[in-house]
């Protein structure tokens, strides 16, 4: 199997680092159906010991890291 040239690896690394910049341009909140349709899954986390409520975040896919309404 051929090894990838260093320039290609550098370009791939630069593209991976640019992902958070494009994610910031997306809307801040998504619906649960948008999260799942974008290839993500909903992660529900307790705030503190759980008596303060819960947060729902979309993890993975197009809406990675965004709050789920």
């Amino acid at each position: 199997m051929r090894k990838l040239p260093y320039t290609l690896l550098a370009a791939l690394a630069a593209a991976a680092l640019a992902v958070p910049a494009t994610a910031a341009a997306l809307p801040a909140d998504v619906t649960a159906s948008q999260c799942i349709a974008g290839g993500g899954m909903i992660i529900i986390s307790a705030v503190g010991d759980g008596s303060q409520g819960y947060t729902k975040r979309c993890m993975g896919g197009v809406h990675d890291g965004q709050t789920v309404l």
Side-chain angles (χ1 to χ4, degrees):
M1 193 165 140
R2 275 180 56 185
K3 290 186 177 181
L4 293 175
Y6 289 110
T7 54
L8 180 58
L9 289 176
L12 291 173
L17 292 174
V19 169
T22 58
L26 295 173
D29 300 322
V30 297
T31 63
S33 58
Q34 287 173 325
C35 176
I36 293 170
M41 63 180 163
I42 301 167
I43 305 296
I44 302 172
S45 302
V47 176
D49 62 358
S51 64
Q52 299 169 347
Y54 296 91
T55 61
K56 295 179 276 186
R57 306 287 283 173
C58 184
M59 299 304 286
V62 176
H63 304 289
D64 187 36
Q66 294 183 17
T67 302
V68 176
L69 299 175

